[in-house]
Amino acid sequence: MISYSEQKLLERIVRNSTETLQDIHTVLAKVYDNELALELNRQAAGYSRLKERAAVQLLNTGIVPAPVTVLERAKRWGVLQARTAWNVNTGYVAGMLAQDEESRRHGMEQTVREMQVYGQTSCELAEDFLDFEEKSIRILRTYC
């Protein structure tokens, strides 16, 4: 049995990972720099692992993570298509992804501060997620 705060934290990790994966897969076809494309694929694999770890923890307690709705996915896809319609410059795409990840990271940090999470596994996973996002943002910023 996990606490409410741990559940919300794990759900937030699953949701943020899902959104980041969708962003990466949406813009990956528009990336012409092979190094950036390789890095985005590495990041996608890392986010997939984090998402799976959080989802498994939730599923072990009998909680099914809420999926991202079709409307939310379509809205996010449309926003990314509009933002990259006229500019697919490597620096611009990397900066755009870094900016989006930064806002998700701040939301996650706020969730960690607000929720008094005491579960060691949940805290460890949240730290791993925040560390991975920080590293990803740093790498994306080098392309700007």
Side-chain angles (χ1 to χ4, degrees):
M1 184 83 185
I2 61 173
S3 68
Y4 175 77
S5 57
E6 287 178 293
Q7 177 185 344
K8 289 298 169 194
L9 182 64
L10 292 171
E11 287 175 347
R12 183 76 183 238
I13 291 171
V14 169
R15 183 166 193 81
N16 283 354
S17 297
T18 302
E19 288 176 359
T20 304
L21 283 168
Q22 181 187 358
D23 290 356
I24 289 172
H25 292 303
T26 300
V27 300
L28 198 55
K30 295 183 175 195
V31 172
Y32 296 105
D33 185 315
N34 289 337
E35 289 179 26
L36 179 58
L38 178 63
E39 182 55 41
L40 289 176
N41 279 312
R42 285 184 187 140
Q43 288 183 15
Y47 282 112
S48 291
R49 283 190 296 274
L50 288 166
K51 176 184 171 183
E52 184 178 333
R53 284 176 53 196
V56 164
Q57 261 191 319
L58 285 170
L59 290 171
N60 286 341
T61 60
I63 301 167
V64 177
V68 177
T69 65
V70 173
L71 183 60
E72 291 170 327
R73 290 172 55 97
K75 179 181 166 189
R76 186 69 194 149
W77 181 86
V79 166
L80 288 170
Q81 293 298 327
R83 288 172 68 186
T84 58
W86 301 106
N87 191 357
V88 290
N89 181 357
T90 299
Y92 175 76
V93 171
M96 179 187 68
L97 289 173
Q99 182 182 15
D100 291 344
E101 284 186 30
E102 186 72 35
S103 68
R104 280 191 283 269
R105 186 173 185 278
H106 285 301
M108 177 61 105
E109 287 175 337
Q110 183 178 3
T111 300
V112 170
R113 276 192 303 271
E114 288 174 358
M115 303 284 184
Q116 298 295 324
V117 179
Y118 298 108
Q120 184 172 356
T121 310
S122 300
C123 286
E124 192 176 290
L125 185 56
E127 288 174 14
D128 290 348
F129 183 81
L130 290 171
D131 290 344
F132 186 76
E133 271 208 321
E134 183 178 333
K135 179 183 170 191
S136 298
I137 291 167
R138 196 172 343 109
I139 290 170
L140 287 173
R141 293 275 184 218
T142 62
Y143 287 96
C144 296

